[in-house]
């Protein structure tokens, strides 16, 4: 079996940025979508637009991936036609703060660990058994360059993304005797609401992250996710690190645009 138009994609964190761009990318190629995030009003707007533009079949609902019970209810209560999830995009995630560890806010740490790490685990635990039973599926985790390198003030965020990297590798081993594929797409700077969230709504500070350089766009990441998801069944894209041309590492960014 190969992934094709009509296949079913589950996207967490679909209300913004990379998750939203993935929804558009898969929708325009005829995939069916399950969209989840906390901001249901946003999902509703996206769903309306996708139905109008592409006639996409969409199931969406509010979900906080930090809530284990809510994750299990969400998956258990999916109507029958939405049961056979072919592609899981574990995208919901965030950073909070950029303080040195000894000055960091404990609530920020909890939020990052609960979302990026435990949330990804909860969703994976709920959906992967169905894939294993059907012996078919693709899991795409959105990691980060921060999962390969640490940077000043990135301490706990980097730790969560290093954990995503380890989970992805471990999961690939766990599933090696199945036809389920496991992939991580690890971007550098992508201009989304990510920095606005990191800096607790400070727009000026958020803007500076992408100043005088051309960051990646959410569509760049969606293209890469789509590529990985639509390879022939015997091909497993294990890991992609994708950076803006002006970024060489987590900490080396060339800001030449005036
Ligand atoms: P955005 O802030 O634009 O989007 C984050 C998405 O995650 C939103 O849809 C948000 O939805 C959702 N989300 C956050 N917390 C939860 C939660 N508890 N439950 C459910 N959904 C949640 O940022 P990005 O698109 O940039 O981020 C997407 C992923 O990409 C993250 O995992 C991030 O770490 C990763 N990444 C981002 C990079 C960048 O530079 N932007 C680079 C590398 C990786 P809502 O608030 O409605 O719940
Ligand atoms: C997001 C990219 O460099 O801000 O994961 O950590 S970075």
């Amino acid at each position: 079996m190969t992934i094709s138009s009509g296949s079913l994609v589950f996207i967490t964190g679909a209300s913004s940025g990379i998750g939203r761009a993935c929804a558009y990318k898969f929708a325009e190629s005829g995939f069916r979508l399950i969209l989840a995030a906390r901001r249901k009003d946003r999902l509703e707007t996206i769903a309306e637009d996708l139905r109008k533009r592409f006639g996409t079949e969409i199931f969406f609902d509010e979900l906080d991936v930090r809530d284990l019970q809510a994750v299990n209810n969400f998956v258990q209560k999916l109507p029958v036609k939405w049961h056979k999830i072919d592609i899981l995009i574990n995208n919901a995630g965030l950073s909070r703060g950029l303080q040195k560890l000894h000055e960091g806010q404990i609530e920020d740490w909890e939020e990052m660990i609960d979302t990026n790490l435990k949330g990804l685990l909860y969703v994976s635990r709920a959906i992967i058994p169905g894939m294993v039973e059907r012996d078919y599926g693709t899991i795409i985790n959105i990691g980060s360059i921060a999962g390969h390198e640490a940077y000043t003030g990135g301490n706990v965020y980097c730790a969560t993304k290093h954990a995503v990297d380890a989970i992805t590798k471990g999961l690939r081993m766990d599933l090696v005797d199945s036809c389920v594929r496991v992939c991580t797409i690890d971007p550098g700077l992508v201009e989304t609401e990510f920095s606005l969230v990191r800096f607790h709504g400070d727009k000026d500070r958020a803007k500076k992250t992408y100043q005088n350089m051309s960051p990646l766009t959410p569509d760049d990441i969606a293209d890469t996710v789509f590529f990985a998801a639509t390879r022939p069944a015997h091909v497993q894209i294990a890991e992609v690190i994708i950076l803006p041309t002006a970024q060489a590492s987590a900490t080396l960014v060339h800001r030449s645009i005036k």
Side-chain angles (χ1 to χ4, degrees), residues 13 15-16 18 38-39 64-65 91 143 157 161 188 190 192-193:
S15 63
S16 171
I18 294 169
R38 291 166 302 177
R39 288 170 292 180
D64 186 335
V65 297
N91 163 75
Y157 177 71
K161 291 299 184 178
V190 189
T192 63
E193 293 175 14

Side-chain angles (χ1 to χ4, degrees), residues 95 98 142-147 149 151 154 157-158 161 186-190 194-195 198 209-210 243 247 249-251 253:
S95 65
L98 200 53
I142 305 299
S144 172
I145 185 68
E149 299 170 53
Y151 52 84
Y157 177 71
C158 295
K161 291 299 184 178
D186 299 345
L189 293 170
V190 189
F194 178 86
S195 293
R198 165 167 263 171
T209 310
Y210 313 106
L243 303 173
Q247 181 173 17
S249 73
T251 51
V253 180

Side-chain angles (χ1 to χ4, degrees), residues 8 31 76 94 97 187 206 215 248:
L8 178 56
F31 286 69
Q76 278 158 19
L94 80 182

Side-chain angles (χ1 to χ4, degrees), residues 21 27 50 71 75 78 100 106-107 110 144 147 180 200 206 210 221 246:
L50 291 178
V71 169
V75 174
L78 284 170
K100 294 186 178 183
I106 307 262
E107 315 83 81
E110 309 273 23
S144 172
V180 181
H200 295 277
Y210 313 106
I221 309 308

Side-chain angles (χ1 to χ4, degrees), residues 18 22 25-26 89 140 142 183-187 216-231 237 239-243:
I18 294 169
C22 287
K25 181 70 191 175
F26 282 91
I89 305 175
I140 299 188
I142 305 299
C183 167
T184 181
I185 305 293
D186 299 345
L216 296 167
T217 68
D219 290 338
D220 295 325
I221 309 308
D223 283 348
T224 312
V225 169
F226 188 81
F227 175 83
T230 53
R231 290 312 83 211
I237 305 290
E239 176 180 304
V240 177
I241 298 177
I242 170 169
L243 303 173

Side-chain angles (χ1 to χ4, degrees), residues 122-144:
Y122 295 161
V123 173
S124 301
R125 182 66 182 86
I127 290 175
I128 297 170
M131 291 182 169
V132 171
E133 203 181 303
R134 293 187 293 280
D135 199 20
Y136 181 70
T138 302
I139 300 140
I140 299 188
N141 293 333
I142 305 299
S144 172

